[in-house]
Structure formats: structure tokens, C-alpha cells
Amino acid sequence: MDRLLVWVQRSGGSASASVGYVFRNRAGSRIKLLLIDGTGVWLCVRRLHAGRFHWPRSDEEKCLLSREQFEWLCAGVDWMRLSTSVVPEHTF
């Protein structure tokens, strides 16, 4: 968690309250969510048993997601091909 927080700060990210950062492993089967809430830092991990998380192109270092896009990402759905006006049935 500390290494991810240092990486965020070195890449120009904000360590202020109500900010979240998502990271994906190389295999694409796991994402980590680093949340900063004003009193501390949360690290959440989500792993897919099958398939991969859909991720922006590798040349894009940063990407801003809406709440709906993030929910689709966590569900393992290709959020880049879907409308943000539709929300998956199971949200996390």
C-alpha cells in the first residue's frame, strides 16, 4: 500500500481526501483500489476467477473513470464499449 501511495505522489497524483486510484496486475486478473479518505488509506483487491479486467491502452498512464465506468470495470465488463447511462445489476 505504501509503495502504491508513493507511486501516486511521484506521478503527480493527489493524496487528498476522497480520491481513489486503481491499479491492475500484468496478467489483468487482479485490480487494486487505493482509497484516501482523510483519516487514512484503504487498499481493496478484486480478483477475477476467469477473464481479464479491461484496461486502457498501455501508453495511457492515467485515465479518469465515472462511477458507472468503475462499476463496470469491477464487474469485469468492457466498460470502454458500454454507455455510461447503463449500470450493471451487481455493483461493488
Side-chain angles (χ1 to χ4, degrees):
M1 175 170 49
D2 292 330
R3 286 184 179 185
L4 291 177
L5 189 57
V6 168
W7 189 88
V8 165
Q9 292 171 335
R10 286 186 180 166
S11 65
S14 173
S16 62
S18 302
V19 177
Y21 298 93
V22 182
F23 303 87
R24 184 189 77 155
N25 67 345
R26 287 185 185 175
S29 61
R30 186 175 299 148
I31 57 173
K32 292 181 181 180
L33 174 62
L34 185 69
L35 292 171
I36 304 163
D37 68 1
T39 58
V41 179
W42 289 85
L43 180 63
C44 307
V45 178
R46 175 117 169 111
R47 180 180 62 196
L48 292 178
H49 294 290
R52 301 174 65 168
F53 287 103
H54 296 274
W55 209 249
R57 294 185 312 249
S58 62
D59 59 338
E60 296 179 18
E61 185 174 311
K62 296 179 183 178
C63 177
L64 183 62
L65 299 178
S66 69
R67 181 185 182 115
E68 292 83 10
Q69 289 171 325
F70 176 72
E71 289 172 352
W72 283 109
L73 170 69
C74 289
V77 177
D78 188 353
W79 57 271
M80 294 175 280
R81 294 181 180 239
L82 300 170
S83 168
T84 59
S85 63
V86 180
V87 180
E89 289 182 30
H90 304 287
T91 58
F92 304 93

